[in-house]
Amino acid sequence: MGELEDAVMTRVWKWNRPVTVREVLEDLQKERSIAYTTVMTVLDNLHQKGWVRREAEGRAYRYEAVSTRAAYAAALMNEAWSQSDNPAAALVAFFGMMSDEQRHALSDAVRIVQGPETSERPEAGSARENPGSPTEADGR
């Protein structure tokens, strides 16, 4: 998404309801000078890209987001990661850029994806799972 597409989608996601070109235009004009036809073209482009659906209302359309901003962010991360020639290194670099708050959110997300049953299982490679491991043999 380009900068203007993102500005338009930010409003569509924030309002979380069908919106008109006029509503988006009036909100954008609080920050910048922009023409009605520009906003209309951006929303049409977003519709063609599959980010918004539209429904006719008189001679105009109402636009509504097809998915959430979180789903869009996830798609961007997945696309960037899949283009890496070394996905593991890309993840390590990405994790290194994260704040403590982001790392906690990541941990929470991993727990949600894995489900409650995985939190009760011993970790892979633990002494309980590998009785002959050096950690058990040497008392660690």
Side-chain angles (χ1 to χ4, degrees), residues 42-58:
V42 169
L43 280 163
D44 185 59
N45 290 343
L46 289 167
H47 176 256
Q48 290 184 28
K49 290 179 179 183
W51 287 105
V52 295
R53 67 176 67 89
R54 67 185 180 191
E55 190 173 312
E57 185 176 279

Side-chain angles (χ1 to χ4, degrees), residues 15-33:
W15 296 335
N16 196 28
R17 60 172 173 75
V19 300
T20 64
V21 171
R22 175 80 46 209
E23 290 173 307
V24 176
L25 170 73
E26 289 173 359
D27 200 58
L28 283 170
Q29 285 179 331
K30 294 174 185 173
E31 300 171 3
R32 63 176 91 186
S33 177

Side-chain angles (χ1 to χ4, degrees), residues 70-139:
Y72 172 68
L76 285 178
M77 288 187 287
N78 186 56
E79 182 181 339
W81 187 47
S82 66
Q83 291 178 7
S84 172
D85 60 349
N86 187 341
L91 282 175
V92 169
F94 180 64
F95 296 157
M97 295 178 202
M98 296 174 113
S99 67
D100 286 341
E101 182 179 328
Q102 290 169 323
R103 279 191 286 280
H104 283 72
L106 176 64
S107 294
D108 291 344
V110 168
R111 276 193 296 278
I112 290 168
V113 169
Q114 290 178 337
E117 69 280 350
T118 57
S119 62
E120 296 176 15
R121 281 190 269 158
E123 290 183 30
S126 71
R128 264 191 251 155
E129 204 170 278
N130 300 316
S133 69
T135 54
E136 187 179 60
D138 64 11

